[in-house]
Amino acid sequence: MTDDALDTLYRDVLLDHYRSPRHAEILPHPSATAKGYNPLCGDELELTLSVNGSGCVDAVGLRARGCCISVASASIMSEDIEGKPISWVKDYIVRVKAMLKGEGPAVESESGDLEALEGVKKFPVRIKCALLPWVTLELALRDGQKKRSEERRGGKGGRSR
Ligand code: ZN
């Protein structure tokens, strides 16, 4: 990708996330985990979440290796979903994925940095890089759901909802 192209992708915002990714530490006792890989670019992501009893994402921890776009996207995601209810996060994923693919409107984020990724839709080879964290997040939410239902089936009780 040329420097010109990076400019249109809000170079500074993305480079800042790339150089110092937020929540860049794997959680020691996650309630949901997932790994993602983008073979087109070699981007790797390990994602851990802690979801509390009332269904909120308490904490996010991740290890991202790859290109600027994928690492920045993961970092921005971690900021935007922390402290949010799972139902909100699920809806957010749908909207962000649509934006990145150029199939939906721009999504405003609380961090204000998500907009920096919108330009990626103009660079088809980079869309998969930007999508990787969000696809991995879907997997992690599914993993968390599975673990919670296993817990319930385990008959430990006390965690009914
Ligand atoms: Zn990439």
Side-chain angles (χ1 to χ4, degrees):
M1 169 177 266
T2 66
D3 277 351
D4 274 357
L6 262 179
D7 273 341
T8 28
L9 292 178
Y10 295 73
R11 195 167 193 270
D12 291 346
V13 174
L14 298 182
L15 280 178
D16 180 56
H17 279 280
Y18 177 62
R19 286 178 183 140
S20 32
R22 323 301 194 255
H23 305 98
E25 229 163 279
I26 293 296
L27 302 176
H29 305 291
S31 52
T33 63
K35 281 182 184 171
Y37 178 58
N38 169 21
L40 290 179
C41 181
D43 307 313
E44 287 177 312
L45 176 67
E46 193 179 342
L47 179 64
T48 55
L49 303 176
S50 168
V51 179
N52 68 21
S54 41
C56 269
V57 178
D58 262 350
V60 186
L62 56 87
R63 189 153 40 211
R65 272 193 217 99
C67 69
C68 174
I69 303 290
S70 74
V71 174
S73 181
S75 174
I76 292 168
M77 179 189 82
S78 73
E79 286 209 303
D80 286 345
I81 66 168
E82 194 177 52
K84 297 292 197 308
I86 287 182
S87 53
W88 183 92
V89 172
K90 282 182 176 164
D91 173 68
Y92 195 60
I93 295 171
V94 172
R95 289 188 291 131
V96 172
K97 281 170 72 180
M99 175 187 88
L100 294 176
K101 292 188 209 164
E103 295 166 357
V107 178
E108 272 180 43
S109 69
E110 271 170 42
S111 63
D113 289 348
L114 188 69
E115 291 86 327
L117 283 169
E118 201 203 344
V120 88
K121 66 186 178 198
K122 285 179 270 175
F123 306 95
V125 287
R126 290 285 162 171
I127 293 176
K128 283 240 165 17
C129 304
L131 280 175
L132 178 69
W134 303 90
V135 174
T136 310
L137 177 59
E138 281 182 321
L139 292 177
L141 290 180
R142 228 169 285 159
D143 175 64
Q145 213 163 16
K146 203 175 107 206
K147 281 185 178 135
R148 279 193 300 281
S149 64
E150 276 168 7
E151 222 168 78
R152 278 199 297 276
R153 270 205 306 276
K156 295 265 193 299
R159 289 200 57 173
S160 55
R161 36 188 231 157

